[in-house]
Amino acid sequence: MQLRVLVLAGDGIGPEVTREAVRVLQRVAERFRHELVLQEGLIGGEAIRRTGSPLPEATLQAALTADATLLGAVGLPEFDNAPPDQRPEKGLLGIRKALGVFANLRPVRAYPRLLDASPLKNDRVQGTDLVIVRELTGGLYYGTPRGIFGSGPEERAVNSMVYTRAEIERIAHVAFRLARNRRRKLASVDKSNVLEVSQLWRRVVSEVATQYPDVELEHILVDNCAMQLVLNPRRFDVVLTENMFGDILSDEAAVLAGSIGMLPSASLGGQRPSGAWVGLYEPVHGSAPDIAGQNRANPLGAVGSVAAMLEYSFGLKEEAAAVNRAIETVLEKGVVTADLRPAGKPATTSEVGDALIAEI
Ligand code: NAD
């Protein structure tokens, strides 16, 4: 199979973790005999420095034509006080918007080797293997009317949580299809005891569920979900949520994994006729300027994002599993970076990459 991948290394530790992720992808292509066509592009602070724009037109065009995009991270302290359209983050929001990625998937796994890295008790975290599917382009963060009006005691602020049936249906289909490929359990999160938006959400998700009789659906209130995520995370397989609930719950769930450097993400748009998803794949962490350029960053979030790319955009489950198995083995062997607090000397970013490649 031909895999046309755009690589946007970005800022800070972005290029370091992306380098290892690309090496892993190259190894997978070699091992499973795929033709890998890589293209590189600029985004974020580095793009502003070199072209004056956080999302140059060439990058945008390349993303629109590539099969999938792998992104490192964006953000540099030197742009912290820059005007909004001259900030690295603008590039990230711009590319998400251009690709129309409305579904954000965050897999969270508790690897046995990392149980001690989580602040939660081992017996709670052990066996956690869930994916949060968060709606990314609607809800409270985008709804109108919004704004701050008036003055004095009458000054008021308004945000609107808005979802259309079509928006709920398309994200629900993503979650149900994903559940079908996993343990066939879906928890749909809402606040239907209070919010009309949630009542529509619950109704539409229940309707979509009739097309997936093989998937067990439960509706769970967001407050209970927040509690269950730390009390009994093993009960979850796929968790479907609207934008703001997902923003909050996915950070809470990240604690289960031990380090932010471990977490991959996939943001998916439409599905191509082949069944492949238009996708943007990136580790959850930022550019970590405090450790950039030191070969210390954990590349496993970026490498996990490559596994997600293989699975969702290319439908290559065996290849994705090979990458995930390599991650697990390398963790078991203790070849880990400093953020995972190894007993002995921490491995460097590139040593973790070497170890992964040796396992594939
Ligand atoms: P951050 O995720 O960059 O760093 C938070 C902490 O986690 C730091 O101590 C860092 O050293 C550590 N860390 C992060 N990734 C790690 C890894 N792979 N290995 C080891 N340690 C790691 O978040 P921040 O410090 O709040 O933000 C720094 C910059 O990144 C800001 O400019 C911010 O806007 C940007 N940012 C970008 C993204 C993105 O590109 N998706 C996401 C979040 C933050």
Side-chain angles (χ1 to χ4, degrees):
M1 188 173 175
Q2 190 185 58
L3 318 177
R4 292 179 309 129
V5 177
L6 173 66
V7 179
L8 305 174
D11 305 321
I13 61 170
E16 298 165 58
V17 296
T18 308
R19 189 180 312 122
E20 302 315 316
V22 167
R23 287 174 66 212
V24 166
L25 194 54
Q26 285 168 327
R27 174 63 194 135
V28 168
E30 181 187 45
R31 157 97 162 67
F32 292 88
R33 299 173 189 281
H34 297 296
E35 184 195 349
L36 183 60
V37 183
L38 290 173
Q39 191 182 353
E40 290 186 5
L42 292 169
I43 194 165
E46 194 53 31
I48 301 175
R49 276 187 193 151
R50 310 241 300 254
T51 72
S53 161
L55 183 61
E57 187 57 30
T59 301
L60 195 56
Q61 287 310 321
L64 290 172
T65 51
D67 293 328
T69 299
L70 176 67
L71 188 113
V74 298
L76 288 175
E78 70 186 75
F79 295 106
D80 278 354
N81 298 316
D85 63 341
Q86 281 295 303
R87 295 178 74 127
E89 291 76 7
K90 182 87 181 167
L92 191 57
L93 296 179
I95 197 166
R96 284 179 182 160
K97 188 160 177 225
L99 288 173
V101 287
F102 62 86
N104 182 244
L105 276 58
R106 278 197 191 185
V108 179
R109 285 187 64 187
Y111 292 97
R113 168 66 180 68
L114 300 184
L115 291 180
D116 288 334
S118 169
L120 298 170
K121 290 198 175 78
N122 288 3
D123 63 322
R124 300 274 156 160
V125 182
Q126 203 166 25
T128 298
D129 182 2
L130 59 87
V131 183
I132 296 189
V133 177
R134 166 188 169 195
E135 202 291 328
L136 204 55
T137 53
L140 197 61
Y141 295 173
Y142 292 92
T144 52
R146 64 184 296 162
I148 301 176
F149 308 98
S151 61
E154 297 306 314
E155 187 176 10
R156 47 196 287 277
V158 178
N159 289 96
S160 303
M161 185 187 265
V162 184
Y163 271 107
T164 63
R165 164 178 285 276
E167 284 173 318
I168 303 169
E169 280 177 358
R170 70 176 179 176
I171 189 79
H173 280 294
V174 171
F176 276 106
R177 281 188 208 137
L178 185 65
R180 227 176 214 175
N181 284 325
R182 292 174 48 95
R183 301 196 305 280
R184 296 173 185 253
K185 284 178 62 179
L186 181 78
S188 174
V189 179
D190 63 45
K191 187 74 183 166
S192 61
N193 51 346
V194 179
L195 301 174
E196 282 78 5
V197 175
S198 284
Q199 287 159 14
L200 180 65
W201 180 277
R202 189 174 280 218
R203 182 150 51 84
V204 173
V205 171
S206 296
E207 285 170 21
V208 172
T210 60
Q211 297 176 44
Y212 302 87
D214 50 330
V215 177
E216 183 193 324
L217 169 67
E218 88 171 300
H219 296 285
I220 184 166
L221 294 176
V222 62
D223 35 358
N224 185 24
C225 183
M227 188 168 68
Q228 295 297 327
L229 271 175
V230 286
L231 276 181
N232 184 13
R234 273 188 299 274
R235 79 197 281 282
F236 294 112
D237 178 17
V238 176
V239 179
L240 167 64
T241 104
E242 63 89 50
N243 201 343
M244 183 183 64
F245 296 162
D247 191 3
I248 298 167
L249 293 176
S250 59
D251 269 27
E252 184 193 3
V255 174
L256 302 164
S259 163
I260 191 166
M262 289 300 300
L263 293 171
S265 84
S267 300
L268 308 179
Q271 218 170 358
R272 298 219 166 95
S274 63
W277 294 95
V278 173
L280 175 68
Y281 301 86
E282 48 179 326
V284 165
H285 62 73
S287 58
D290 52 333
I291 57 166
Q294 300 172 29
N295 202 15
R296 281 172 56 191
N298 185 347
L300 295 180
V303 173
S305 304
V306 161
M309 174 191 289
L310 289 165
E311 181 168 350
Y312 304 133
S313 278
F314 297 116
L316 299 173
K317 286 190 189 170
E318 199 187 327
E319 288 80 342
V323 174
N324 285 325
R325 259 196 319 273
I327 292 176
E328 211 157 320
T329 309
V330 163
L331 287 171
E332 284 305 322
K333 289 185 171 171
V335 186
V336 298
T337 43
D339 55 309
L340 297 177
R341 297 192 290 271
K345 187 170 172 278
T348 63
T349 310
S350 38
E351 282 166 354
V352 175
D354 293 343
L356 289 165
I357 286 161
E359 293 299 330
I360 297 171

